[in-house]
Amino acid sequence: MLVIFVLVLRKFPAEVDESKAIGFKWPRAALAVAVGITVTTIAAFATNARNTRPIYELLPDAAYDLGNGKNVVNVLLVDIRAWDTLGEISVLLVAATGVASLVFRNRRFGIAPRVADAPSVIVDKAAANSDTTWLRGGDLIDPRHRSLVLEVTTRLIFPAIMVLSIYFFFSGHNAPGGGFAGGLTAGLALVLRYLAGGRYELGEAVPIDAGKILGLGLALAAGTALVSLFLGAPALSSAVFEFTLPLIGHVKLVTALFFDLGVYLIVVGLVLDVLRSLGARLDAEIEVKAP
């Protein structure tokens, strides 16, 4: 979120015209404080008014008995209240499409530019100024704006972050992790690649249209609901398969994993689409306007 805020703020003017400044600051501040105090008071009274057993005490047993998982949060997201999650990821997809539509006013650009798409003038200048390449896209950045430490660090830890992301995805049903956590971890890795190597490095990291990743994720999540219906079970119901694999041993597979995969892809696609629109596309416009 911090990176996204910075990507947006860089397009704002450096100074605000006094004629456009918002007045009535004190009434607005008083209203904000009053709302905060009111909400906090209501929350405190609501918490102290409980006189029965809290429902959260029942969730661990329900997660294991109904969802066949020990991670209560992830089981809630992909099984017990999967309908809610399906709605949430649909909203994420619409939000990503909306942001991209605001930036790409005339037409959408599917894939972030790759090194092969860079103008020959930039490529020749980069070849003359760089002897060692840590990130392919980093060579195309103006030397005044490059950070060698960041490029080297990104080159070393990016694979480890992606492996950690996949581990979170597969372990999330019984341990901390899941599709959201794994997707956010992969998204952080992509943010790091973009910050270190620029828009061309983002294209080298994921040479796939973000819209296709978002669409595939939603298709997997919605397809899980449809498959359950075709098999005569309630929508988004999960089944359990247990089998033994050589060298791996006993494996317990819950079909909610495929729904979680859809969540993972949508989160990754959302981050990629934001970086592609608010990052790579605006970078291109700034370069064109630069003297």
Side-chain angles (χ1 to χ4, degrees):
M1 291 299 298
L2 177 62
V3 172
I4 293 173
F5 274 123
V6 172
L7 292 178
V8 174
L9 288 175
R10 63 180 178 158
K11 291 294 292 183
F12 285 9
E15 298 179 356
V16 179
D17 188 357
E18 290 295 333
S19 62
K20 298 180 180 179
I22 300 176
F24 306 103
K25 295 181 179 180
W26 284 111
R28 294 171 183 269
L31 177 62
V33 172
V35 171
I37 294 175
T38 301
V39 173
T40 302
T41 303
I42 293 175
F45 273 102
T47 302
N48 293 326
R50 292 175 177 170
N51 53 17
T52 59
R53 184 183 181 188
I55 192 174
Y56 68 81
E57 295 181 3
L58 306 175
L59 290 179
D61 292 335
Y64 190 78
D65 296 336
L66 300 178
N68 297 282
K70 299 178 181 179
N71 183 354
V72 177
V73 175
N74 195 67
V75 172
L76 282 172
L77 291 175
V78 302
D79 194 302
I80 296 177
R81 42 159 266 184
W83 271 114
D84 187 37
T85 304
L86 183 60
E88 290 176 356
I89 60 179
S90 300
V91 171
L92 284 178
L93 191 147
V94 172
T97 304
V99 170
S101 299
L102 291 173
V103 176
F104 303 129
R105 294 180 295 273
N106 298 324
R107 70 183 186 89
R108 290 177 63 93
F109 292 77
I111 304 174
R114 303 187 64 179
V115 173
D117 302 325
S120 57
V121 176
I122 298 179
V123 176
D124 295 339
K125 184 178 180 180
N129 295 333
S130 179
D131 297 328
T132 303
T133 299
W134 291 98
L135 297 175
R136 294 189 63 191
D139 290 342
L140 305 182
I141 300 178
D142 190 322
R144 296 173 298 175
H145 302 151
R146 292 183 66 180
S147 172
L148 183 59
V149 173
L150 184 59
E151 289 186 24
V152 174
T153 304
T154 301
R155 176 70 177 268
L156 294 176
I157 70 174
F158 178 80
I161 297 177
M162 292 304 299
V163 171
L164 180 63
S165 168
I166 297 173
Y167 169 78
F168 280 154
F169 167 68
F170 281 106
S171 67
H173 210 61
N174 292 293
F180 273 114
L184 288 174
T185 304
L188 288 173
L190 295 178
V191 169
L192 189 60
R193 286 284 289 267
Y194 167 72
L195 294 178
R199 59 194 180 104
Y200 294 107
E201 184 62 27
L202 181 63
E204 294 295 326
V206 185
I208 305 175
D209 185 356
K212 294 180 179 179
I213 298 177
L214 289 167
L216 178 60
L218 187 61
L220 275 173
T224 304
L226 293 177
V227 170
S228 300
L229 292 176
F230 285 134
L231 296 178
L236 292 171
S237 298
S238 59
V240 181
F241 299 95
E242 298 189 37
F243 47 87
T244 302
L245 293 177
L247 302 179
I248 297 180
H250 181 73
V251 176
K252 182 179 181 181
L253 176 64
V254 182
T255 55
L257 181 71
F258 300 104
F259 181 84
D260 217 12
L261 178 59
V263 175
Y264 179 94
L265 293 176
I266 285 181
V267 175
V268 173
L270 172 66
V271 175
L272 181 62
D273 208 27
V274 169
L275 293 176
R276 180 179 61 95
S277 55
L278 297 179
R281 179 57 180 166
L282 294 185
D283 286 343
E285 293 182 359
I286 292 173
E287 289 181 5
V288 171
K289 295 179 180 179

